[in-house]
Amino acid sequence: MKNYDWINHVKGESKFLDDLPVPEGTLHAFVFTSSVAKGKIKSIDTTTAENYPGINKIITYRDIPGENQIGTILRDEPLLAEHEVDFIGQPIAILVGTDADVVREAARLIKCEITELPPIVDPREAFEKGELIIPPQIFSLGNCETAWQNCAYVIEGSAESGGQEHLYLETQSAYSIPVEGGGIKIFSSTQSPTAVQRVTAGVLGLPMHKVEVDVLRLGGGFGGKENQATMWAAISGLASFILKLPVKIILSRHEDMMFTGKRHPYSSDYKIGLNKDGKILAYDVQFYQNAGAASDLSPAILERTLFHCTNSYFVPNVKATAYSCRTNLPPNTAFRGFGGPQAMFVFECAIHKAAAQMGIDASVIQENNLLNESDEFPYGQLTKNCMAQPTWYQAKNDFDFEDRKKAVSNFNSKNKLVKRGIAAMPICFGISFTNTMLNQASALVHVYTDGSVSVSTAAIEMGQGVNMKMRQVAASIFSIDISKVKIETTNTTRIANTSPTAASSGADLNGRAVEKACLIIFERLRNFSASILDVEDSNKISFKDDSVYLDGKTTGLKWNDLILKAYLKRINLSSHAHYITPNIHFDKSTSKGNPFAYHVYGTAIIEVEVDCLRGIYKLLSVKAVHDFGKSMSPVIDRSQAEGAIMQGIGWATVEELLFDEKGKYLTDTLSTYKVPDVHFTPEEMEVKFLENNTHSEAIFNSKAIGEPPLMYGIGAYFAIANAVKSFKTSANFRYSLPITPEKVLMNLHGDKLTASGIVSRIKS
Ligand code: MTE
Ligand code: LUZ
Ligand code: MOS
């Protein structure tokens, strides 16, 4: 099943927000933002800017008719700064004018005096100063304190992981028009139309039914539009509401990179204990999350970090503590993996360091500790249909892991300046929003009198192919050709109270809702068919290939004719359905429960080659055995896996997000922030489907695919680290992700380079 969207993307025919035709007189908005990371606003003078030709209005917090608040989990983020600023790029005023250039030119004419205060950019410093977003969160299993004494090896260390820019192709954008009755309609590039609706209604002081949000598709979200599209939608909504005219805002790439939050950098300490056979007995870890200046989704991300602190391993004694630290960076936010990758990296560092001390390969410890059936996670859930070992052993066999390891060490013994490295990376990712309440979705299905079908859901199409999957569900329930099914825009008037399309659960949740809604109509049609065919038992009726069958034989009655007949007999051809994930619960007070519908597993093997003179490297191969369940669309799912792997490798290797001690991003352009390009992709990439999977929790026995494969990318870090170690066994580097060529060079020759004064800038 191909994804029809792709054809339109390639032809340039797909529409994105900025392609929507707008009425004449549409205004453009831009923001005047803080240039300092922490300070008190002394004065603001907008008169010169206001008189600039083409400017209609400059809006400050005083003009907000409702509440100046966009926080969702916690109410700690103003839409427009009032008296204080907390990060560079924080909006202070909105400029509205006749075109996109005019508002930007006028922004430079605003005079704002800010008394600078010392900012915090380091999460550990924030922790020390008591700047926590929420109280410390702890997950524990067994008893760590008493377990250490049974350990033959106890290894301690720390690990750093950097942020990551989402780099969705379509930048943050929104367009609002005033509608009759004092309401507004917002077109937004958001993963969460309901968040946009609720927050904008609050800002405007309107009931939610006066704010309609419509989303056609996103040019990528990757989590960056789960919460942070809301600010830009609220800005255009506010401007449009005040001026009673359509207002559009589209950020440039540079603005988007400067103003918006990223993946959270983490700084962590760990202690791991193993017995003499290499079984992990205890793990104690502290995570310091760099949350940025407001809570955004940080508490939920922090929690997912804890949920994934032992990756795909069984550890009987665990204590994991997590701190969400308030700093003066733009609020960090959801990013594919949602705190999971950060946690899994730390555990892999612990294994890697332990292996080095024990004089064995890390893969020995990995294999020795993989989750088994009915093992307990630190949050009390037991594994079920656990595929940690099946994926590991299939990868090991299919990709000749033992032979490849030998080939790598052979290569290394023969080559002096070029070294190879290999690493395995198993993953385990929990599927469901960890906030149980969010695991709901609904669908609205209409069958029109010509037999064509319209489907609305809460799912947002952002390139991941969810619309195609929804079409497949409807077409398959009705047994009609997929061309008869259309997926509508995601719209809060048609589908209310939507959860964000996130947590990889878009297809799972919305697919089930579509299935339910279609089945309701299907049952009506089956009963109706039975009545017109004069059959008593409607179970004898089935649908196949756009036709009605009786006892498995065709009746000559076509879908289109059936629908028209049903309409004439006043049969209801529309249905709405609501789905909730069954049997999930989580008690926040004890941090125990059954939060996930199921887990996704897999194992990747990554091989790299490092030029040990220059520190540069290339990816030779990435091979994974992934647990797809029974894929609904192997083409889409494979492409999701490959894309996620490259995004994960980018995070682990070349994507380095730097900021200075004054809270200013140093990498807010594409000339300073490196993302993997086509030349960087491995020469060989293979994603195999795990054989013999019997999983059956999600729609049509499929499994969520969006986020889990990103975490294979962590393996690239260790493959490179291993290559470096084989050049310089004494290399005793800090675990600091991403492992950029710069860091590789410093690990290889840092002592000499520093001594010769070549390097002053690079610290790690
Ligand atoms: N794939 C593309 N092409 N673009 C995206 O923005 N977002 C990812 C993933 N794959 C994304 C993507 C993220 S962060 C999530 S949570 C899932 O898609 C969301 O979609 P799903 O729930 O339908 O898998
Ligand atoms: N968003 C959220 C998420 O609100 N809760 C989650 O558990 C989650 N997980 C992954 C990505 N987004
Ligand atoms: Mo994805 S981080 O759940 O949007």
Side-chain angles (χ1 to χ4, degrees), residues 352-369:
H352 195 255
K353 189 163 184 184
Q357 267 186 38
M358 293 162 69
I360 54 175
D361 194 76
S363 63
V364 176
I365 301 180
Q366 289 175 313
E367 183 172 313
N368 220 345
N369 290 281

Side-chain angles (χ1 to χ4, degrees), residues 621-656:
S621 72
V622 178
K623 298 181 179 185
V625 170
H626 186 79
D627 165 24
F628 287 88
K630 188 168 173 296
S631 173
M632 264 169 83
S633 174
V635 182
I636 290 176
D637 286 355
R638 187 188 296 280
S639 72
Q640 278 292 293
E642 291 179 355
I645 288 173
M646 280 320 297
Q647 205 164 29
I649 290 178
W651 174 61
T653 60
V654 292
E655 292 185 48
E656 189 175 36

Side-chain angles (χ1 to χ4, degrees), residues 340-382:
Q342 291 94 324
M344 285 153 67
F345 173 64
V346 179
F347 200 86
E348 295 297 328
C349 287
I351 289 181
H352 195 255
K353 189 163 184 184
Q357 267 186 38
M358 293 162 69
I360 54 175
D361 194 76
S363 63
V364 176
I365 301 180
Q366 289 175 313
E367 183 172 313
N368 220 345
N369 290 281
L370 289 169
L371 285 163
N372 221 323
E373 197 62 12
S374 299
D375 275 343
E376 188 174 354
F377 287 103
Y379 43 93
Q381 186 161 354
L382 303 186

